[in-house]
Amino acid sequence: VRVEDKLYQNRYRVDSGRSHIVVAPHETPPPELVALVTICPARCYEINGKGQVEVAHDGCMECGTCRVVAEGSGAITWTYPRGGYGVQFKFG
Ligand code: SF4
């Protein structure tokens, strides 16, 4: 079974308008933000047409990788979703 197929089994209850991850405003993204585009396993981060990094929280698996890499520098803020929202894992 491919990883993508397993990820498809997860379910998300999206807290619309209340992202649990916020990218700090920036003109040019610092290296730790650029790294998130590659290292997020759910590919929640992308570079927009202005060269800035954006996050789409609705597919986040709450693995915490981006938190470890980028929160310490202030590049993002990260909190768990409110109760009842976020990812629901089918496997583990
Ligand atoms: Fe991606 Fe994990 Fe960060 Fe969610 S917590 S945005 S899945 S790296």
Side-chain angles (χ1 to χ4, degrees), residues 15-75:
D15 199 355
S16 298
R18 286 184 60 150
S19 177
H20 65 288
I21 305 169
V22 177
V23 174
H26 57 276
E27 291 291 328
T28 303
E32 60 270 31
L33 266 186
V34 175
L36 301 184
V37 176
T38 305
I39 65 174
C40 171
R43 300 188 180 163
C44 293
Y45 292 87
E46 63 179 23
I47 297 177
N48 66 20
K50 297 177 182 174
Q52 298 161 336
V53 174
E54 295 180 338
V55 63
H57 71 288
D58 51 330
C60 174
M61 298 184 294
E62 300 166 31
C63 70
T65 303
C66 60
R67 186 176 202 178
V68 171
V69 170
E71 192 176 47
S73 67

